[in-house]
Amino acid sequence: MTKVGVLALQGGFAAHIRRLRSLEVEPVEVRRVRELSGLAGLVIPGGESTTLLNLMADEPWFDALGEFHEEGGTLLGTCAGAILLSREVVPEQESLGLLDARIERNAFGRQVDSFETTLDAPAALGGSLDAVFIRAPRFRALGPTVIPLVSHRGEPVLVQQGRVLALTFHPELTRHGSVHAYFVAMTKRETKAEAGGLVPAGRIS
């Protein structure tokens, strides 16, 4: 059975594990670099990105995750996970740089500005998604090979670049499992986006 990991250093990893258990994969909590071995994909969950960076300093996570992706591993980043994946972070912060995007932390507002909404989505993602935004970042710019799959009020909130999927909201806190199902399909190289079947929702400059 395909093994999919969830980075379990900090943040909302437990909800991702529960969601993955409902799919045809073996979810694995990942706390050490060596535990990336044998995984087809990895979820980097939401949480506090600066705290996560401090915890990642104990091991060579940046090198290991870069190699994991280069060797075929698929990545899903939600909220803080999307921040870590992006090439450029505002305000400036260290990041993995595996997604060609500029992202601004907490740009949807602070904790009191958190909100839930329903978003239109491509058929491959179920046609609509419930979305929970908590101290959410905003994508401020996307590279030419980044495909916006889902938008909120004209702004991309779910994007894909090859084997990297990044969201500024929390799908693991809703009743929908389609984002995780789409991600699992990516680990098996079955997504319509890779085949060019999805239409970009729009671009920002």
Side-chain angles (χ1 to χ4, degrees):
M1 179 177 288
T2 301
K3 291 185 178 181
V4 175
V6 180
L7 190 64
L9 298 178
Q10 189 263 348
F13 59 87
H16 287 286
I17 290 285
R18 286 194 294 273
R19 183 55 53 84
L20 288 170
R21 283 198 182 112
S22 67
L23 303 170
E24 293 181 357
V25 295
E26 179 182 341
V28 178
E29 292 186 10
V30 175
R31 294 187 174 83
R32 298 291 183 187
V33 163
R34 64 176 182 271
E35 294 169 334
L36 292 171
S37 178
L39 300 179
L42 180 76
V43 177
I44 304 177
E48 173 51 53
S49 61
T50 53
T51 302
L52 190 52
L53 283 171
N54 288 334
L55 293 170
M56 293 173 74
D58 289 342
E59 292 199 61
W61 280 103
F62 274 53
D63 289 342
L65 289 172
E67 291 171 7
F68 176 76
H69 179 252
E70 187 176 331
E71 294 171 359
T74 303
L75 294 164
L76 166 66
T78 60
C79 200
I83 294 171
L84 285 180
L85 287 171
S86 294
R87 178 172 55 80
E88 183 179 341
V89 180
V90 180
E92 186 174 356
Q93 179 176 284
E94 192 176 14
S95 64
L96 292 164
L98 298 175
L99 175 70
D100 188 14
R102 182 190 309 133
I103 196 165
E104 181 178 352
R105 298 171 55 203
N106 300 326
F108 274 103
R110 304 185 66 80
Q111 190 84 18
V112 295
D113 301 308
S114 301
F115 63 98
E116 297 183 34
T117 189
T118 300
L119 304 170
D120 292 332
L125 285 161
S128 67
L129 292 172
D130 291 336
V132 178
F133 291 80
I134 304 172
R135 289 190 299 141
R138 272 182 156 129
F139 289 113
R140 292 305 192 188
L142 302 178
T145 61
V146 180
I147 301 173
L149 299 180
V150 177
S151 298
H152 172 62
R153 296 181 176 175
E155 294 187 31
V157 293
L158 193 167
V159 303
Q160 180 177 355
Q161 182 181 24
R163 285 176 283 101
V164 176
L165 195 65
L167 301 74
T168 59
F169 59 91
H170 293 267
E172 76 280 9
L173 300 180
T174 72
R175 60 191 171 86
H176 286 124
S178 53
V179 170
H180 290 78
Y182 184 85
F183 170 63
V184 167
M186 285 174 63
T187 69
K188 300 175 181 176
R189 302 178 185 277
E190 296 173 354
T191 65
K192 291 185 178 180
E194 285 191 344
L198 292 174
V199 178
R203 289 204 178 277
I204 56 177
S205 59

